[in-house]
Amino acid sequence: GRDQVWQLIFADDLNVLAKGVDGIRTSVMIIFVMVLFGTPFSWPKLRGGFCYGWVGLEIDLTGYRLGITLGRAQWLKDWLSGVLERQGVLVRDLAAVLGRLSFAAGPLERIRPFLSPIYAWTSVAPGAAYMAPPPDVLLCLRWLRNRLERGGRSEEVMEMQQHEGLLFRSDAKAEGDSVCIGGWECRGGISTEHARWFSVELNQENAPWIFCKGEPFKIISALELLSTLVSVMVFIPPGAAQNGAFALSGTAATDNKGNSYVVKKLMTTAFPLSACLMELSEQLEIRASWLDLEWVPRQQNIEADALTNGHFAAFSPANRIMVDMKSLPFVVLTEMIEAGGGMLAELAGLREKKRIERAEARKAKRARKRLAGLSLKDRDPW
C-alpha cells in the first residue's frame, strides 16, 4: 500500500501510471476499490501498456515521448492536405480545426508559433466565406502538414540539464535609417573583454523586410527578437545538448519586456515578430534547447546597447564574430517574411471591413432600442 502510483484525471478519463510489478498490482487494486465504490467504468475503453492513447494524447513510456495519437495526427494531415490541394477553405471550418491544432500544440509546443498567422486571418475573415488563404497561412499549413508526414506527431521528453544560467545579452536599435542588432556571450559570468560578441548593421540589402511597415522603429520588437535569434545561432552550436540525451536550458537578457512574454508563450500574431518567433523555435529545436528570455531594464543592458551604437571599446576585436545576414542558415524566416508581407494589406482591409460592419450593427441595435421605447402614437401616427 505504499507503492508509487500517479493518477491523472481529465474530465472523466483516468490515467494510472505505476512502476514495477508492485506498482501494477497496486493499479489493479485501485481499480478494484473504485469498482467497489460504484465508479462507472467503460470497460471497452480500458487500455494498458507502455505506449497508449489517453484523451487524444499518446504516451510512450519506453521511448520517453509525448504526442498525439496516430488517428488524430492522420486526420489533421488529411484535412491540411485537402486545403492545400484545393487552395481554398471555408473560414469557419479552418477556425474549428485551429482548435484541434491548438490541442496538438499542447504536447507539440514548438508548432505553436506557426498557428499565429492562422489566428490572425480567421479572426477577421468572414466565417461563412469560402476563400483562398493568404500565402502566409498556406505556408504554415504546409509546414504543419509536412511535420506530421515526417512523423512529428510526438516529441521526446528529455531530461533537462542543469540550468546554464545567463547565456547572452542582446539588443537592437532603430533610429531613422540606422538599424543595428548586437549581442555578447556572458555565459559563466565572463567579462566583456573576454566575451564573444557581434554587431550587425541592417539595411535594404541584407534585411529589406525591416522597412515592411515604413520606418524600422515601428517593428522594434521584431528587431529585438531578431537579435536574440542571431545570438542563439552564433553562441549555441547545434548538438550542444550532449547528442540529444539532455535538453539544454538557459536564459537570455533583453530590455524588451514584451518579447519575454512572447518567447514564454511561443505565440504572437504581430508581423514580422511572428516570423522571427517561428525561426527561433526552429533553431532551438535544432539545438534541442529551450530559452527563457528575461527582461532587464535598459540601464542594466548597457553593454549590448553599446554594441548597437558602434561603441566597442569594452570588447576585444579578436573575439568579434562577423555575421553575414545573407549566409545565416535560416530555416523558415525568409519564406515567412516574404509571404507575410503581402498579408499585412489584406488583414488591414479585412479589419476595416469588420469594423464598419460592427459599427453599422451597433447603430441598428441602438435604433431598434429607441423605437422599442416609443409608443404606437410616436412610432406609427394615425
Side-chain angles (χ1 to χ4, degrees):
R2 297 181 180 273
D3 300 303
Q4 289 185 328
V5 178
W6 290 266
Q7 292 185 80
L8 309 177
I9 299 175
F10 179 83
D12 58 352
D13 292 280
L14 182 68
N15 181 32
V16 179
L17 291 171
K19 181 179 180 181
V21 175
D22 291 337
I24 297 299
R25 288 176 179 149
T26 304
S27 300
V28 174
M29 182 59 68
I30 286 173
I31 295 174
F32 177 65
V33 171
M34 287 183 173
V35 171
L36 289 181
F37 281 102
T39 306
F41 283 106
S42 177
W43 298 110
K45 294 182 180 180
L46 192 66
R47 297 287 187 275
F50 294 102
C51 182
Y52 57 93
W54 179 57
V55 295
L57 304 176
E58 184 171 279
I59 303 169
D60 185 353
L61 300 176
T62 55
Y64 301 102
R65 303 186 70 86
L66 179 66
I68 58 175
T69 59
L70 178 61
R72 296 202 173 193
Q74 187 64 46
W75 189 96
L76 286 172
K77 188 182 71 171
D78 292 343
W79 193 89
L80 293 171
S81 296
V83 173
L84 293 170
E85 182 178 344
R86 296 188 301 270
Q87 294 288 296
V89 67
L90 186 63
V91 176
R92 62 168 172 257
D93 284 353
L94 180 57
V97 172
L98 186 54
R100 303 185 182 192
L101 289 169
S102 299
F103 172 83
L108 309 177
E109 292 181 83
R110 299 201 195 264
I111 74 170
R112 199 172 296 151
F114 293 85
L115 304 183
S116 55
I118 310 174
Y119 274 113
W121 187 64
T122 55
S123 67
V124 294
Y130 186 91
M131 302 171 65
D136 194 17
V137 173
L138 287 173
L139 268 177
C140 290
L141 296 178
R142 183 175 294 108
W143 183 93
L144 291 165
R145 192 272 312 273
N146 292 345
R147 185 184 181 97
L148 292 171
E149 282 187 341
R150 295 194 305 267
R153 64 183 181 90
S154 67
E155 289 188 1
E156 187 176 2
V157 182
M158 295 183 291
E159 183 179 352
M160 194 67 70
Q161 266 187 344
Q162 183 177 356
H163 198 280
E164 293 284 316
L166 189 61
L167 300 175
F168 58 82
R169 291 176 177 265
S170 61
D171 198 14
K173 182 191 77 168
E175 295 177 0
D177 291 334
S178 177
V179 184
C180 185
I181 60 173
W184 64 286
E185 187 180 28
C186 51
R187 189 196 305 243
I190 193 172
S191 63
T192 55
E193 59 182 333
H194 298 107
R196 296 190 296 167
W197 60 281
F198 73 91
S199 179
V200 187
E201 292 279 348
L202 302 181
N203 51 48
Q204 186 71 42
E205 183 180 352
N206 62 9
W209 59 270
I210 64 176
F211 301 98
C212 65
K213 292 187 177 180
E215 296 294 326
F217 74 86
K218 293 182 179 180
I219 60 165
I220 188 61
S221 293
L223 295 173
E224 296 269 9
L225 193 60
L226 180 66
S227 67
T228 300
L229 167 63
V230 174
S231 297
V232 166
M233 298 178 72
V234 300
F235 296 142
I236 306 176
Q242 295 188 359
N243 299 321
F246 297 92
L248 178 67
S249 173
T251 303
T254 179
D255 52 28
N256 187 298
K257 196 168 189 176
N259 283 355
S260 63
Y261 299 118
V262 166
V263 173
K264 190 177 187 66
K265 295 187 301 180
L266 282 179
M267 174 63 72
T268 177
T269 57
F271 180 85
L273 183 61
S274 58
C276 294
L277 184 62
M278 293 177 202
E279 184 65 39
L280 179 62
S281 177
E282 289 289 279
Q283 293 297 334
L284 288 173
E285 183 171 27
I286 291 172
R287 291 156 175 79
S289 303
W290 293 94
L291 189 69
D292 180 19
L293 194 58
E294 184 180 79
W295 173 76
V296 295
R298 182 170 297 275
Q299 295 80 1
Q300 297 179 22
N301 202 32
I302 55 175
E303 298 89 355
D305 185 66
L307 291 175
T308 63
N309 287 291
H311 303 152
F312 309 144
F315 297 88
S316 170
N319 295 326
R320 181 173 187 175
I321 299 175
M322 303 305 296
V323 175
D324 181 5
M325 295 297 294
K326 290 184 176 181
S327 63
L328 282 176
F330 293 125
V331 179
V332 297
L333 181 64
T334 305
E335 280 188 300
M336 290 298 176
I337 288 290
E338 291 176 356
M343 188 175 171
L344 285 176
E346 181 174 348
L347 287 179
L350 289 172
R351 288 194 186 101
E352 179 62 19
K353 182 179 178 181
K354 197 163 191 176
R355 186 192 67 78
I356 294 173
E357 289 175 351
R358 286 175 175 172
E360 291 177 348
R362 285 194 297 268
K363 184 178 179 180
K365 186 177 181 180
R366 286 194 297 268
R368 287 195 300 270
K369 283 185 176 180
R370 187 170 59 253
L371 287 173
L374 298 176
S375 66
L376 178 62
K377 177 183 177 181
D378 295 323
R379 283 187 282 116
D380 193 5
W382 182 261

